[in-house]
Amino acid sequence: MEFFFPGWTSDAPAFDPAALKSLWLKRRTSLDALDQSGVWRFRELLPHIANPEEHVITLREGNTPLYRLPRCACAVDVENLHAKHQGMNPTASFKDTGMTVAASSAHQGKFRWVACASTGNTSASMAAYAARGNMRSLVLIPDGKISWGKLSQSLDYGALTCQLRTDFDGCVRILNELVRQKPVYLLNSVNPYRIEGQKTAAIELMEQLAWEPPDHIIVPGGNLGNSSAIGKALLEMRELKLISRLPKLSIIQAHGANPFYRSVREFGGKKLEPMTADTLASAIRIGNPASWKKALRVLQATGGEVEEVSEVEIAAAKAEIGADGIGCEPASAVTLAGLKKLRRNGFVKSGEAVVLILTGHALKDPDFTIKFHRGDLFAGTSVAATPDDAEVAQAKYLQRAPLVLDANLGAVIATLDAAEGNSK
Ligand code: F0G
């Protein structure tokens, strides 16, 4: 199922674009909970929830910052590079923008239980919104394959958390069976309410850019709900004359979890061959993406590209984003790694404006970060795409391992002086 809004197929837009823009802006100063949400502020483009005071569950999601990335811009030779940081949402990932809408729909439908299969962020978000809305939540996650940060969130928010001895795709299969037998409300991104909520990241982005679209938007691709949502928003905004041209939406996958990349490159998007996925960017360790057809449509409609990146490229890009003082989780860093490739092959030009969508906060997966800086990220991993030593060595210059010193001033001063000498 997908939402299609009334009036958009006729010649005359159903809304006056200038009036909408000023209404949305005005809501930023409101004291009303719905107006303070960076999702419900744009409710004219969202499904209607009856009795919002009773049913809308909001944690004031959205309202995420748009940051310049000066060092990364220099490194990739793109003058105008920004990151829209969706990790700055209440549960620290972009999932909250869709979850507020879908959880509200579950509440309106008087469901007692909501459920999802997840690589960790959807489950953290769902558990929080279910708790706020007084609903029970059932989480199916792959045992041992999600980060502690994400697992700890769903425990704290009170979800019934089941670690299944399978991967994400196996969890989805079981969940799909379960919802046929039990009255639980499915909150995976095939839920159209989630897609609608996630559209607002693109709307808010355009507002932050004074409705002047960038040339490129780059997103990570896992289950492909987010790229579908952002693409849908772009197409709708153009239809409504909120923007006058479309940015190209490009989707980046990890090499070890690249079924969509292969679908487009090898089969021209005619079919998708599921695979057993393997990448240290655990959020996007997905081999059978549910929304690949929708993502293909928006990729083609906006003229975007699809790329894949290696494990070392992901780790290096994450450290580079971190060095700009921003930080993100590994899955988000595929955007910068992908941009480097798209610059090299000429798809993105130096003078073009680029926005990376950072999907999760750095603190979601500190284990990855510490291992990278200590230099043992790739040691003994079962990742199918285990990098060779030469490739790993290329990222060495980004590693900043912690130093253990004796507790005396002289040792600290000597270290400071050495660091200053090195940076000259
Ligand atoms: N980035 C992060 C941090 C994610 O958690 C996900 C997906 C993606 C990117 C990919 O987005 O699936 O819409 O293409 N995480 C899901 C989860 C699958 O269960 O948390 P997508």
Side-chain angles (χ1 to χ4, degrees), residues 131-190:
R132 299 291 299 168
N134 237 335
M135 297 180 286
R136 301 288 319 269
S137 63
L138 170 70
V139 161
L140 303 185
I141 45 173
D143 184 29
K145 292 180 187 137
I146 78 165
S147 73
W148 290 119
K150 298 173 190 179
L151 176 61
S152 67
Q153 285 181 291
S154 89
L155 301 180
D156 225 23
Y157 301 141
L160 175 59
T161 305
C162 303
Q163 299 179 274
L164 304 188
R165 292 187 200 93
T166 177
D167 55 11
F168 169 80
D169 302 291
C171 292
V172 170
R173 279 195 293 277
I174 291 182
L175 181 68
N176 286 341
E177 287 298 316
L178 178 85
V179 295
R180 272 186 224 127
Q181 299 192 18
K182 290 281 179 187
V184 296
Y185 186 88
L186 179 80
L187 277 177
N188 273 75
S189 62
V190 292

Side-chain angles (χ1 to χ4, degrees), residues 119 168-169 222-223 253 257-259 275 277 279 283-290:
T119 55
F168 169 80
D169 302 291
N223 217 15
Q253 296 205 293
N258 65 353
M275 66 188 289
T279 167
I284 51 173
R285 192 187 280 155
I286 295 173
N288 190 13

Side-chain angles (χ1 to χ4, degrees), residues 94-95 117-122 168 220-226 283-284 286 329 331 359-360:
F94 73 100
K95 305 289 182 180
S118 181
T119 55
N121 278 329
T122 300
F168 169 80
N223 217 15
L224 298 170
N226 200 33
I284 51 173
I286 295 173
E329 66 165 286
T359 45

Side-chain angles (χ1 to χ4, degrees), residues 284-296:
I284 51 173
R285 192 187 280 155
I286 295 173
N288 190 13
S291 299
W292 73 273
K293 285 186 180 154
K294 282 187 204 164
L296 182 70

